[in-house]
Amino acid sequence: MASRPTTCTRRSSATIHPFPSPSMVSIVLGAQWGDEGKGKLVDLLASEADVVCRCQGGNNAGHSVVVEGVEYDFHMLPSGFHLQNCVNIIGNGCVVNLPELVEEIEKNEKRGVTNWSERLLISDRAHLVFDFHKQSDGLIERGRGSSSLGTTKKGIGPTYSSKATRNGIRAVDLVGDFSIFTDKLRKLYNYYKLTFPDLDIDIEKTIEQFKGLAEYFRPMIIDTVAFLNQAILDGSKKILVEGANATMLDIDFGTYPYVTSSNCSVGGVCTGLGLAPKYIGDIYGVVKAYTTRVGDGVFPTELKNEIGEHLQTRGREWGVTTGRKRRCGWLDLVLLQYTTMINGFTALCLTKLDTLDELAEIKIATTYKRNGVELPSFPASVDTMHDRG
């Protein structure tokens, strides 16, 4: 019997794989609680990108981009929407409010965006947000009373709930047989009406509205999973993914329950676009030189004093989506180490350092302690972040 060779030679990938040099996808993610300035970095990278993608969330996100004195506010639209060289993808992991997307498109048209219909693609697997999702979002939040989560009331959570309970409606349903879509929509509304009797929706008016929206968006609703992967295998395309919200709002890794309803860490990029991990290249974590968050929830370094007010004013800290003032505090390295571990950032982009210029002293959180004992890692429960009474 012949002996095995002591060494072996690896064959060139070109001889065994038909696509030897696929494009590597760059990703921009928030490393804190959002509002880190992701839009600025995305705009910088998008200027050389062929494809810009959103992979999760809905129009509860908000990115501001200023180009030649014109300010664009993007909520559902990817931040490459205003760039003539970019195809913009709203991925299957997103939830889409089509009537409000029309309003967002028209708003940006007035600011000079053209040829957008040739550059906007919506996943046929993306779930749709309806007015009863929005109304139920408000009713749920009101029912929490003093324990409210501070949601945007955009219907994002209820839509993801519909997705999880498997009675949600997707874009592919809208552009298919409209009678089947109508039947599904009536059943979904009746399901919500049983749970929330106070809902006030004219479902027949909604059906008629979506009949028009089906024709408006029909050319844009495609299999984006196939499109994106073909662009990757093409090898010549530069592809950029922008995460909405931020890691500390991730449904799994954030400060639960004060989080959003999707995975806004690196895992959400793969599941929200149908992207294989082997195609991920650079992962940029965007971090503000201090920390902010909108809405309720634990905030270890929050400054409820004149320094916090100074950061809020000088940093122009109010939300793009809601207009709410952002809570401000010192940079938190415990949090940043945690989000870096989860996402595997290959680089960090530090923003708003100049906001700290006028402060005589700058502090940074380096350790969490509870009752004098250092916590070994970022705690899963927000209750663990407070001393025992």
Side-chain angles (χ1 to χ4, degrees):
M1 185 170 60
S3 61
R4 296 179 62 185
T6 56
T7 61
C8 62
T9 302
R10 182 181 295 276
R11 288 181 292 170
S12 167
S13 62
T15 67
I16 58 175
H17 198 288
F19 305 106
S21 301
S23 298
M24 299 303 285
V25 177
S26 297
I27 301 170
V28 176
L29 298 172
Q32 296 161 306
W33 276 293
D35 309 307
E36 301 93 348
K38 295 184 291 294
K40 294 178 182 178
L41 179 60
V42 168
D43 186 54
L44 179 66
L45 297 175
S47 63
E48 297 183 354
D50 298 292
V51 183
V52 180
C53 311
R54 276 281 305 274
C55 60
Q56 45 74 221
N59 61 342
N60 57 333
H63 291 168
S64 295
V65 174
V66 180
V67 181
E68 297 180 353
V70 180
E71 182 173 338
Y72 303 92
D73 292 341
F74 299 124
H75 299 276
M76 185 72 260
L77 293 169
S79 293
F81 184 71
H82 63 296
L83 300 171
Q84 290 292 330
N85 62 307
C86 278
V87 172
N88 293 265
I89 293 178
I90 297 175
N92 59 276
C94 298
V95 291
V96 188
N97 185 315
L98 291 179
E100 293 184 9
L101 181 58
V102 172
E103 293 176 7
E104 188 176 341
I105 289 169
E106 291 176 346
K107 181 179 178 181
N108 284 287
E109 276 186 313
K110 292 176 182 177
R111 294 178 180 177
V113 176
T114 58
N115 300 323
W116 60 267
S117 62
E118 300 171 9
R119 299 181 291 103
L120 178 62
L121 303 175
I122 302 171
S123 173
D124 53 6
R125 293 172 169 86
H127 281 249
L128 302 181
V129 182
F130 297 97
D131 282 347
F132 52 81
H133 286 129
K134 291 182 64 177
Q135 280 196 21
S136 61
D137 201 0
L139 292 170
I140 292 169
E141 187 74 344
R142 188 175 69 188
R144 292 189 178 106
S146 60
S147 300
S148 66
L149 302 181
T151 74
T152 58
K153 301 181 181 68
K154 293 284 187 178
I156 307 303
T159 306
Y160 277 115
S161 293
S162 292
K163 179 177 181 178
T165 53
R166 293 162 291 178
N167 60 358
I169 297 175
R170 303 186 297 171
V172 69
D173 299 316
L174 178 64
V175 295
D177 187 323
F178 195 74
S179 64
I180 296 176
F181 169 83
T182 299
D183 183 58
K184 287 183 177 181
L185 182 55
R186 285 199 178 99
K187 288 178 178 177
L188 182 59
Y189 172 66
N190 290 336
Y191 173 87
Y192 270 84
K193 186 69 174 176
L194 284 172
T195 310
F196 303 99
D198 292 338
L199 284 179
D200 183 20
I201 299 291
D202 185 340
I203 194 61
E204 298 307 317
K205 184 177 179 180
T206 299
I207 290 169
E208 192 62 28
Q209 178 188 35
F210 273 80
K211 190 173 185 178
L213 290 169
E215 298 313 309
Y216 184 93
F217 284 108
R218 188 179 298 277
M220 301 161 229
I221 296 174
I222 70 163
D223 183 351
T224 57
V225 176
F227 178 92
L228 179 61
N229 278 277
Q230 186 56 52
I232 291 170
L233 296 177
D234 176 86
S236 65
K237 305 294 186 183
K238 291 185 178 179
I239 301 167
L240 178 66
V241 178
E242 59 168 319
N245 315 116
T247 306
M248 292 310 299
L249 295 173
D250 186 280
I251 186 70
D252 285 301
F253 303 115
T255 47
Y256 190 89
Y258 300 96
V259 293
T260 192
S261 305
S262 59
N263 288 112
C264 29
S265 53
V266 71
V269 175
C270 296
T271 59
L273 289 169
L275 174 67
K278 66 180 179 180
Y279 297 131
I280 294 176
D282 287 314
I283 306 172
Y284 300 101
V286 185
V287 54
K288 203 175 288 184
Y290 49 102
T291 309
T292 62
R293 92 171 289 177
V294 173
D296 300 313
V298 67
F299 189 170
T301 65
E302 184 173 11
L303 294 165
K304 298 179 179 180
N305 55 24
E306 66 279 359
I307 298 176
E309 292 176 4
H310 171 81
L311 294 174
Q312 190 178 82
T313 303
R314 183 170 170 79
R316 296 169 57 86
E317 297 295 351
W318 51 84
V320 174
T321 299
T322 63
R324 292 180 293 181
K325 288 184 178 181
R326 296 169 185 150
R327 300 153 62 192
C328 299
W330 297 120
L331 180 63
D332 187 337
L333 294 186
V334 179
L335 178 154
L336 186 57
Q337 183 180 38
Y338 173 66
T339 59
T340 300
M341 174 181 67
I342 290 167
N343 294 299
F345 296 134
T346 58
L348 292 176
C349 175
L350 186 65
T351 65
K352 288 201 168 182
L353 190 59
D354 57 336
T355 303
L356 305 175
D357 282 352
E358 298 177 3
L359 297 178
E361 182 181 49
I362 298 171
K363 295 183 179 181
I364 296 174
T366 59
T367 305
Y368 286 178
K369 291 183 178 180
R370 189 184 192 204
N371 295 316
V373 179
E374 182 176 335
L375 299 180
S377 59
F378 196 92
S381 172
V382 296
D383 298 330
T384 312
M385 304 181 80
H386 303 287
D387 284 348
R388 296 185 184 87

